[in-house]
Amino acid sequence: MRKRGLLGRLGWRVSHMIKDLVIGHHRRSDVVLFSDTTLRDGEQMPGATLEPGDKLRIALALEAAGVHSLDAGFPASSRADIEAIQQMIGVIKKPVLTALCRTVRGDIDAADEALTGNPPHKRGVSLFCGTSPLHREHKLQKSKAEIVRLVAESVAYAAERFLIVAFSPEDASRTERDFLCEVYREAIDAGATTVGFPDTVGILTPAKARDFIRHVQDHVPNINRALVAVHFHNDLGLAVANTLECIKEGANVVQCTVNGIGERAGNAALEEVAMALTLHEDEFGRPAKIDTTKLAPLCRLVAELTGIGLTPNKPVGGANIFATEAGIHQDGLLKNPDTYLPYRPEQVGADGVRLVIGRHSGRRAVAHRLDELGVILDDDGVLAVLEAIKRLPKDRAIDDDTLRELARTVVDDKVTG
Ligand code: MN
């Protein structure tokens, strides 16, 4: 046990009582808490290295968006992670900062040191240890009993130093259910305040993911003393769907990354989960306390700083989400943007609807753009410009200059013809 004076011991006990109240409050509340792991799991993506200053900028943007906690790094793994965490202390005030640790005392000590200076209720550790047969036999060479002991001991060690202790059985989705429940029970008994369910290799489907969480809620006797967090990888393109299904089973915390960046096929995308919850409150009844108007700029910031660009069709943040070239859609959007959009650009802080002029455009969009450029043509003139667009080589972008030039040619033709 760590040495504490009488006042220190009293304060610590009071803090633990408050902690239990907070857990009870979160479990009863409908709110889905977002735990962002862009700066840790996201940064693990090959090619996505972030400097400490970049991490701070992203952390500030995540704080502004309303994220509840930040998986800020893995102090035992690198000096740069410690540096990044220290830069956040005193600057990032609202989200809880957590540090990743193996079930090793040295890792927990490194986290304790890295998080020095952050108030007790705003600092935590996130412990992980493989539990699946594959991890037990091939990675750790440990029996089930040895794993249970290791988890209980390291969680207890962490709980003496941190009020917030998350424990995740790595490769949970390929772990025997009975053993998984046993590990959760032991971790909670040892002082874990959150238990994670990581689908480490992204193998689950929504129905199976939901079933797992229901089983955990029903078969871990002390589950009411901890929050349930889910962490999905996107190897089957199902990370967001799996996350949403688990929310229906009472998952309290969703772990996500911005733009879904992360190992292999990445993680559940924060902006997609937040928008699905926001647009379908009738289905989930679980509000996301995320300021959605911050999402599109957040997506662009992460793309810029990680160098992992957004595909044009990436939900929420992609360049094409509010752009269309199709004539019928353009006509509809001009009459009322809701005709062809699930939500307005301003709801995610995007720039606005963009009508792309190209071969698939219709008369109305071309006339609209020409009008915006101050070029007034009659119906025949607009039609002639549209015909001219269709004759251009397919890789030719129709920018405003091209459009002006085509309009001029049409007018000239009319005069000379
Ligand atoms: Mn992961």
Side-chain angles (χ1 to χ4, degrees):
M1 190 68 173
R2 253 184 155 189
K3 286 205 174 59
R4 288 193 183 89
L6 181 64
L7 266 181
R9 283 205 300 276
L10 205 65
W12 192 246
R13 282 188 63 162
V14 170
S15 300
H16 273 276
M17 280 161 61
I18 293 171
K19 177 194 79 181
D20 290 341
L21 290 174
V22 170
I23 289 172
H25 163 77
H26 283 314
R27 280 195 69 95
R28 283 188 304 275
S29 132
D30 293 334
V31 175
V32 174
L33 306 174
F34 280 75
S35 161
D36 181 85
T37 184
T38 307
L39 305 177
R40 206 272 306 160
D41 212 335
E43 202 216 9
Q44 256 167 262
M45 181 163 171
T49 306
L50 292 164
E51 296 298 340
D54 299 336
K55 288 195 178 184
L56 183 60
R57 283 180 66 191
I58 294 172
L60 284 164
L62 287 164
E63 178 176 44
V67 165
H68 178 261
S69 65
L70 293 180
D71 182 4
F74 190 176
S77 81
S78 89
R79 192 64 237 165
D81 276 28
I82 297 174
E83 223 175 281
I85 291 171
Q86 284 174 346
Q87 283 198 21
M88 289 177 210
I89 289 170
V91 182
I92 303 299
K93 301 220 165 99
K94 282 188 223 144
V96 173
L97 298 181
T98 64
L100 190 72
C101 301
R102 290 165 297 184
T103 43
V104 171
R105 289 184 175 207
D107 283 20
I108 298 163
D109 292 339
D112 198 3
E113 204 185 316
L115 287 160
T116 299
N118 231 31
H121 65 292
K122 294 290 181 186
R123 67 200 281 276
V125 274
S126 186
L127 272 54
F128 71 95
C129 177
T131 50
S132 67
L134 277 163
H135 280 238
R136 292 195 313 259
E137 286 154 32
H138 297 277
K139 195 178 99 176
L140 303 166
Q141 282 107 32
K142 286 192 195 306
S143 67
K144 285 181 175 175
E146 285 172 310
I147 300 273
V148 168
R149 203 175 322 123
L150 185 64
V151 169
E153 276 173 16
S154 54
V155 168
Y157 184 79
E160 285 172 14
R161 286 150 183 82
F162 290 91
L163 287 174
I164 299 164
V165 179
F167 171 74
S168 293
E170 200 183 10
D171 208 17
S173 51
R174 293 190 297 181
T175 301
E176 305 90 328
R177 288 180 179 215
D178 291 351
F179 182 54
L180 190 65
C181 289
E182 184 187 342
V183 173
Y184 283 140
R185 192 192 67 223
E186 292 287 336
I188 296 168
D189 262 347
T193 52
T194 296
V195 285
F197 178 81
D199 181 18
T200 305
V201 297
I203 190 68
L204 290 184
T205 59
K208 286 181 178 168
R210 185 172 179 172
D211 201 48
F212 251 112
I213 299 306
R214 187 185 307 131
H215 188 87
V216 169
Q217 302 274 29
D218 290 346
H219 292 87
V220 178
N222 52 3
I223 196 73
N224 284 331
R225 284 165 44 204
L227 300 179
V228 174
V230 292
H231 176 110
F232 285 100
H233 277 273
N234 203 32
D235 297 73
L236 296 176
L238 294 170
V240 170
N242 290 343
T243 303
L244 293 171
E245 279 302 291
C246 292
I247 287 170
K248 292 180 181 166
E249 287 304 329
N252 310 97
V253 183
V254 291
Q255 204 162 53
C256 303
T257 63
V258 176
N259 300 336
I261 62 170
E263 288 271 6
R264 303 183 314 280
N267 292 56
L270 180 145
E271 63 282 2
E272 296 174 25
V273 174
M275 283 311 290
L277 287 178
T278 303
L279 296 174
H280 296 284
E281 228 185 293
D282 58 331
E283 181 180 350
F284 296 97
R286 305 277 312 268
K289 265 170 98 181
I290 293 288
D291 179 354
T292 62
T293 66
K294 300 284 196 288
L295 292 174
L298 174 64
C299 293
R300 286 197 296 264
L301 179 72
V302 170
E304 182 200 321
L305 296 179
T306 56
I308 309 291
L310 293 164
T311 54
N313 60 342
K314 170 69 186 66
V316 184
N320 285 358
I321 298 310
F322 300 104
T324 181
E325 192 191 306
I328 293 171
H329 288 211
Q330 292 184 332
D331 181 51
L333 286 167
L334 284 168
K335 288 171 175 154
N336 179 344
D338 294 330
T339 51
Y340 285 104
L341 291 177
Y343 51 86
R344 296 271 180 114
E346 52 271 26
Q347 199 173 348
V348 292
D351 292 335
V353 173
R354 195 164 54 90
L355 303 182
V356 179
I357 304 298
R359 277 191 197 182
H360 307 101
S361 301
R363 224 183 310 182
R364 198 136 179 266
V366 171
H368 179 82
R369 188 69 198 142
L370 285 169
D371 194 47
E372 283 179 336
L373 295 172
V375 181
I376 309 298
L377 293 181
D378 59 15
D379 283 356
D380 288 347
V382 172
L383 214 56
V385 169
L386 201 55
E387 289 307 316
I389 288 170
K390 290 184 207 271
R391 284 194 299 271
L392 289 174
K394 77 171 170 121
D395 53 355
R396 173 91 179 262
I398 317 293
D399 57 16
D400 291 345
D401 285 343
T402 310
L403 208 56
R404 277 199 199 90
E405 191 189 307
L406 290 176
R408 214 174 303 124
T409 317
V410 163
V411 173
D412 289 350
D413 283 355
K414 221 174 172 181
V415 174
T416 53

